[in-house]
Every structure is written in structure tokens, then in C-alpha cells.
Amino acid sequence: MTTTIRVSPKGAARWTEGHPWIYRTDVLGETEAPGVVHVEDRRGKFLGQALWSPKSEIRLRLLEPTKRKIDAEWWRERISACLARRMGIDSNAYRVVHGEGDGLPSLVVDRYDRWAVVQLLSAGLETMRAEILAALVDVLKPEGILLRNDASVRKHEGLPEGIELVHGAVPESIEVREGAVRFLAAPWSGQKTGAFLDQRDNRAIAGALTRPGGTALDCFAYHGSFAMHLARRAGRVTAVDQSKEALVRGTENAVLNGLANIDWVEADAFELVRSWERAGRKFDTIVVDPPAFAKSKSAVAGALRGYHEINLRAMKLLSPGGTLVTASCSFHVRLPMFLEMLSGAASDSGRRLTLARILGQGQDHPEIVTVPETGYLKGAVLVAQ
Ligand SMILES: C[S@@+](CC[C@H](N)C(=O)[O-])C[C@H]1O[C@@H](n2cnc3c(N)ncnc32)[C@H](O)[C@@H]1O
């Protein structure tokens, strides 16, 4: 029998306002076992079915507004609908399910060519594992499915972290295509699920804005996904990252694309750009795509100082007419804060910069207007006069 959970008027209002989460403090009764539950208001009116996480501050995540059974067929329909929303993406590597952004809270599914990498990020969702995997096999027909459940958010759910092969076989590295560029994703060992898929559109934009024959810099390059788009037009590209492993894959990626004009530099990007600024070095195109500096709200002030510092240096390194493509993937640094930070850095740099474009995450990472947590990646294209 399905468990029923009642919620306070404030909890119920979350759903009517378009947000799928109801917090611990708005739940009127508890149950120990995670799973799919029916949710009612204080007076017993049915509100919907949700994933129940007994240990998380986010106790309920809305799945379905009716009483329809949530089985493998339900998941098949939902995942097929997600797939339909990805039509037209110019790549065989993309996010098939972006959790709350696709109405499937705490589920992440990334496709890398013929393989899928999955994250089950809540205790309630974990109980649906068999149905979800069955649906994924039916809809995606993958040669293998890897669970990258090594995400730290699982701790808040009382779930173990780990990596597990749950269907077929998944290779150590998968060659994928993104527009005209090919790269090797690392599903078992790479950051996130093996690549940063959310920047696909911005990489194409950066590539198109690269000065032909000029110099380009990819700061925080990882395995060079931006660098390769830049290298197709630039004369020389410098790709900087502190991860040796990522840079090794970067060199392999360059070979894969027949690009011999990328210099891979293992260094702290902050130190390097400071020294280059002192040396008067200039670049025509610069990409700044650092890791999330603010992992929590309390870290925002420090993170903004970090973003200011790296962007200030990058602005100073721009040659006249040069283009800076800059991004932040910190959810807690919202777009207005990011733009304000850029304004401060521009003013300190003494450069006059045009705000040419505001950037976001790709079509496969849908950002729901009423669910701010679905949007974390923001960026801008600035052009020096
Ligand atoms: C958001 S990822 C970059 C993703 C990449 N631009 C892409 O599109 O695939 C951030 C990268 O910054 C690197 N990193 C973190 N701190 C760094 C630092 N201080 N200096 C250089 N690289 C750093 C990480 O190793 C990681 O590869």
C-alpha cells in the first residue's frame, strides 16, 4: 500500500507556485522508508505523488500530479518526452534528463554516443532504480549503463557513494562529436559524468568568435573542449588547467582532431595570468570557465572575489578588439551578481568592454523559470574596444 504524507499549507503552496520541493519543516508526518508516496494537504486533499527522502532536508520531490501508477511504463513515457526535447542537438553527447529541469527530480542521465551515464541523487529515486534502468534500456537502447553515484549530494540523502556498472559494458573513454569537434569523454573517471556537456552551445559561440589566425587562451581548459573549438580558427591556443590527467586527455583530443596548434599548460590559472599580465602578454580570444567557486550561499562573497580576480586579469590580457568568453557554474552566484562582478572587474581593468552577449546552459539542461536550482551556468561575451 502506498504511504500518504500530509503537508502544511506552506508546503502545498510550493507545488502550486511551480516548485517541486517540499522541505522537512512543511511535512506534517514522517515515515522511515524512502519511496514514492501520495501527498495530501492538511485536510486530506490529494495533491500528487512524490519521491520521499526521510533523511534529506528536501523531504518531498513532486513526480506526478495524478494517482497514476509510477512504473517502468511511466518512466518510459517521461524519458521519451525528454529525448524528444533534445531533438536537433548537434552532438551525440548530451544530457537526456536534467532532473527537476525535466520534471524528473534528482535524476541525471547523460548520453555519450551508445552509452548512458546515470546519477540517482535522492533516496526516494533510489527505490525506483529497477524501473528507471528498465525504461532507459527500452528508450535509449544503450550498449552499457554506468551509475556515477559518486556525487556528494547523496550524503545528504543518507545514501552511499560509488560507481557501478548496471547494464552491458561501458568503455574507459568514449569518442563523441560536438559540432565539428570530437573529444574523448571519460565516463568512469572524468569530472561530472565524464565531460562538461552544459557548455556545448557556448563552445560553438566561442569558436565562431575566435579571431582567425590570432592567439587564444583557454583558462580552466579541462580536456580542451573549448580549446579545440578555438584552435580550429586561431593560429595558436594555450590551454591551462591544473589537472594533469585532464590535460593528457586534452592532448589526445587534439590529435583526434588533427590540431597541432594547442599548447597544454599544467598550472594554477590565477598565478599564470598574473605573471603574464606583468609580462605584458596579450591574447585575441580568451575563455574563462572556472569550477564552481561558491558551493554554498555562505561562500558567495569569497567566490565573487575569485571571479573578480580571474576576470580582471583576463580583461587585462585582451588585445584591442579581443573577445572574452567568461562563465560561472556556481548556482549561488546568480546572473545579476555575475554581471555586477564583471562590471567591477572591467572598471578596475581600465578597459572599455562591450557586453556582446549573455550566455546560459544548453538546451539539454533546461532551466525552469519557477525552479531556480535548475539553472546554474551563466556567462557573458565581452569585447574590448
Ligand atoms: C568547469 S571545469 C572546465 C570545463 C571545460 N572548460 C570544458 O568545457 O570542458 C573547471 C576546470 O578547472 C580546473 N581548475 C580548477 N582550479 C584550477 C586552477 N586554480 N587553475 C587551473 N585549473 C583549475 C579543473 O581541473 C577543471 O578542469
Side-chain angles (χ1 to χ4, degrees):
M1 215 188 78
T2 313
T3 305
T4 298
I5 299 279
R6 288 198 174 178
V7 297
S8 71
K10 192 173 156 213
R14 299 269 303 165
W15 286 1
T16 34
E17 286 159 9
H19 201 295
W21 297 351
I22 296 179
Y23 291 101
R24 176 182 58 81
T25 45
D26 295 314
V27 163
L28 303 176
E30 300 267 344
T31 175
E32 287 288 308
V36 175
V37 297
H38 281 193
V39 179
E40 295 179 345
D41 72 7
R42 205 173 36 176
R43 295 198 179 78
K45 185 178 152 229
F46 176 80
L47 299 176
Q49 297 184 71
L51 296 168
W52 168 253
S53 286
K55 297 214 168 89
S56 167
E57 277 303 297
I58 307 166
R59 286 289 209 267
L60 291 163
R61 293 173 169 90
L62 175 65
L63 265 190
E64 163 65 46
T66 75
K67 288 187 178 169
R68 181 181 161 186
K69 191 169 165 44
I70 299 184
D71 51 15
E73 178 54 27
W74 186 92
W75 287 101
R76 261 194 296 276
E77 279 177 28
R78 292 300 187 97
I79 294 165
S80 302
C82 294
L83 206 53
R85 283 194 283 276
R86 271 73 183 168
M87 287 280 282
I89 292 178
D90 188 15
S91 177
N92 58 357
Y94 54 89
R95 180 150 293 188
V96 179
V97 180
H98 180 51
E100 281 75 354
D102 280 297
L104 297 178
S106 62
L107 175 63
V108 169
V109 180
D110 286 343
R111 171 179 247 173
Y112 293 98
D113 193 17
R114 306 191 301 279
W115 296 272
V117 183
V118 176
Q119 293 181 310
L120 306 174
L121 301 176
S122 76
L125 192 76
E126 183 80 39
T127 67
M128 292 257 90
R129 174 175 158 147
E131 290 84 347
I132 294 169
L133 294 178
L136 285 171
V137 169
D138 281 353
V139 177
L140 301 180
K141 301 190 173 38
E143 286 184 13
I145 301 180
L146 186 68
L147 278 185
R148 276 295 297 262
N149 278 342
D150 52 337
S152 60
V153 286
R154 279 176 60 99
K155 268 196 218 102
H156 304 297
E157 297 281 328
L159 295 170
E161 291 169 55
I163 302 178
E164 199 184 331
L165 180 68
V166 286
H167 175 73
V170 174
E172 279 296 322
S173 81
I174 301 175
E175 183 185 320
V176 294
R177 184 192 59 80
E178 180 180 276
V181 160
R182 288 182 294 157
F183 65 82
L184 297 168
W188 289 84
S189 58
Q191 293 187 38
K192 291 202 153 188
T193 61
F196 292 89
L197 301 174
D198 48 6
Q199 289 276 28
R200 181 186 320 100
D201 296 356
N202 302 331
R203 289 193 278 261
I205 291 168
L209 292 172
T210 302
R211 184 174 295 172
T215 51
L217 169 64
D218 181 6
C219 252
F220 308 96
Y222 190 52
H223 59 202
S225 348
F226 270 101
M228 287 182 294
H229 284 271
L230 304 178
R232 295 185 69 243
R233 280 168 79 100
R236 197 93 217 150
V237 179
T238 307
V240 180
D241 204 283
Q242 68 180 14
S243 159
K244 195 188 185 92
E245 208 190 322
L247 293 177
V248 167
R249 277 211 312 283
T251 27
E252 289 168 12
N253 285 334
V255 172
L256 195 65
N257 288 276
L259 294 165
N261 57 343
I262 307 176
D263 300 314
W264 302 94
V265 181
E266 184 188 339
D268 179 298
F270 285 89
E271 284 175 17
L272 202 63
V273 292
R274 243 177 261 134
S275 71
W276 282 345
E277 187 207 325
R278 280 195 299 272
R281 205 163 160 182
K282 296 283 179 220
F283 293 91
D284 301 315
T285 314
I286 301 180
V287 173
V288 173
D289 182 23
F293 291 152
K295 295 253 160 65
S296 64
K297 217 170 177 173
S298 58
V300 167
L304 285 169
R305 282 195 292 277
Y307 287 120
H308 177 280
E309 168 69 9
I310 194 76
N311 281 285
L312 166 63
R313 304 296 155 194
M315 289 167 184
K316 290 193 167 189
L317 290 180
L318 274 183
S319 54
T323 299
L324 170 63
V325 177
T326 178
S328 159
C329 58
S330 299
F331 162 69
H332 296 282
V333 173
R334 307 305 292 164
L335 178 63
M337 297 180 195
F338 182 70
L339 294 176
E340 199 179 323
M341 174 280 298
L342 286 179
S343 158
S347 130
D348 290 350
S349 74
R351 305 294 299 270
R352 190 186 349 207
L353 294 150
T354 312
L355 177 59
R357 191 160 181 170
I358 290 183
L359 306 172
Q361 52 206 51
Q363 165 196 346
D364 54 338
H365 290 66
E367 184 175 340
I368 305 298
V369 176
T370 51
V371 190
E373 294 81 359
T374 54
Y376 58 94
L377 181 65
K378 76 250 10 132
V381 176
L382 304 177
V383 179
Q385 289 192 346

